[in-house]
Amino acid sequence: KIKDIKNVQDKHLKWYAETLLAEGQSPKTVKNALSAIRYMHKVNPKSVYELAEPTEFNKSLNIPSTPDGRVDRAWTPEEIDRGVKLARTLKRPEIAEIIRFMDATGCRLNEAATIRRSHLEEALRTGYLFLTNTKGGRPRAVPLDEDALALCRELTQKAERGAYVFVPPGQKVHKYKKSVQDFINRHREKIQEEGRGKSAREVINGRAGISAHGIRHKYAREEYENLLSGRNRKEAEREVAERLGHSRPEVTRIYTSTAYKVKRKTKEA
């Protein structure tokens, strides 16, 4: 029995995973449970043992990979430009700016919507965007390039001290998030390229219709492609996973797999 997370070893994870599988739990449930333990182990500064790399560990237990369909959900740079311009034309600057911010930082819509001026000021001091209102409650630090820092500087000048950066005064965060999603849904055909699905759920030729989350896919793809110039695939996936807040690189592969296929086809041509 383990009384302290700092003493967790691979043998304990193996026993726990085998127990869950014997109980009939799905591979995805087992991997999520192991991921949570690994995260607690990782953030504990007193952890004694180093744990095996998740993908190889799962393979050793014959836990199958979670199918993802390899659907391309990423926006293109031209779609980002059209979305921003359309929002500005329709006098919706709060939507134009959050599209730019999500594109520059890889934030989820919920994360971006709750950004305050103080977050941007800290980012300008440190070079990192520190996020705490994240999926699963796992805080993360996103490194920012010069373009992202310039955007943070621009947005800081517009935001009131203590206020949300994107949510209009007097509007609730959940209503603002819905307004962003509604805007994309309402104007999808004006923003996206031809040959994509007519909704986020519809897939045509491997490409789904655009959604707010698809901006995050674009960020992941571009970061992955940039990192590939100096690292191997596993290292690049691991780095992008950290930036996205994914504890399992294989989840990040859902975002980056189409990028790898495009890159490989270009080389073969």
Side-chain angles (χ1 to χ4, degrees):
K1 292 184 179 181
I2 291 292
K3 295 183 179 180
D4 195 323
I5 192 71
K6 71 178 183 181
N7 295 319
V8 166
Q9 301 178 50
D10 286 326
K11 65 180 182 180
H12 301 120
L13 294 183
K14 181 176 183 293
W15 173 85
Y16 185 48
E18 289 174 342
T19 299
L20 292 178
L21 290 169
E23 291 174 352
Q25 299 292 340
S26 70
K28 183 175 181 180
T29 298
V30 175
K31 286 188 285 188
N32 285 339
L34 295 178
S35 175
I37 296 173
R38 285 194 183 95
Y39 175 74
M40 294 302 296
H41 177 273
K42 178 180 178 180
V43 299
N44 188 338
K46 297 183 179 181
S47 292
V48 178
Y49 304 98
E50 184 175 350
L51 300 179
E53 196 274 328
T55 302
E56 295 303 320
F57 179 83
N58 292 340
K59 283 183 179 178
S60 72
L61 295 179
N62 295 317
I63 301 177
S65 298
T66 304
D68 54 70
R70 299 294 194 250
V71 174
D72 183 1
R73 302 185 185 280
W75 291 41
T76 65
E78 293 74 22
E79 288 169 339
I80 292 290
D81 288 343
R82 280 196 290 271
V84 170
K85 288 177 181 177
L86 181 61
R88 287 173 174 168
T89 298
L90 297 177
K91 302 188 184 307
R92 299 296 302 275
E94 77 282 5
I95 292 179
E97 301 307 344
I98 201 168
I99 289 175
R100 295 175 66 204
F101 186 77
M102 292 169 65
D103 181 37
T105 63
C107 282
R108 299 177 176 91
L109 176 58
N110 185 61
E111 295 167 347
T114 52
I115 290 291
R116 296 181 183 270
R117 175 173 164 170
S118 58
H119 292 105
L120 301 185
E121 292 172 335
E122 184 178 27
L124 291 172
R125 288 195 304 269
T126 64
Y128 288 84
L129 179 66
F130 292 95
L131 300 170
T132 55
N133 183 32
T134 61
K135 184 178 180 180
R138 293 193 293 261
R140 72 179 189 275
V142 181
L144 303 179
D145 61 18
E146 289 301 319
D147 290 339
L149 289 170
L151 177 59
C152 288
R153 195 172 296 111
E154 175 189 333
L155 294 171
T156 300
Q157 294 172 353
K158 300 176 182 178
E160 296 291 334
R161 189 167 297 280
Y164 289 119
V165 175
F166 305 108
V167 181
Q171 189 173 26
K172 299 291 186 181
V173 172
H174 73 277
K175 289 189 176 181
Y176 168 70
K177 291 191 297 181
K178 187 176 186 304
S179 74
V180 175
Q181 294 167 331
D182 288 345
F183 179 89
I184 294 172
N185 291 337
R186 189 178 304 117
H187 301 291
R188 182 176 286 111
E189 291 187 6
K190 297 177 184 177
I191 298 172
Q192 71 180 24
E193 299 175 345
E194 293 184 6
R196 301 189 72 136
K198 294 181 180 179
S199 71
R201 292 180 178 274
E202 184 181 28
V203 179
I204 296 178
N205 297 324
R207 304 185 73 199
I210 60 171
S211 64
H213 202 66
I215 302 174
R216 184 168 153 89
H217 280 250
K218 174 182 179 291
Y219 169 87
R221 169 186 290 181
E222 292 178 346
E223 292 300 302
Y224 178 67
E225 290 175 339
N226 290 335
L227 290 168
L228 274 180
S229 61
R231 311 185 190 193
N232 61 43
R233 285 181 61 195
K234 282 191 175 181
E235 290 173 338
E237 284 177 350
R238 192 174 296 113
E239 176 64 25
V240 174
E242 290 284 340
R243 297 182 186 188
L244 294 178
H246 293 158
S247 54
R248 302 203 316 267
E250 63 190 79
V251 176
T252 303
R253 205 166 296 136
I254 297 172
Y255 294 66
T256 61
S257 60
T258 50
Y260 177 68
K261 287 195 292 185
V262 169
K263 197 174 188 70
R264 184 174 57 187
K265 286 179 181 178
T266 301
K267 287 183 177 181
E268 291 173 351

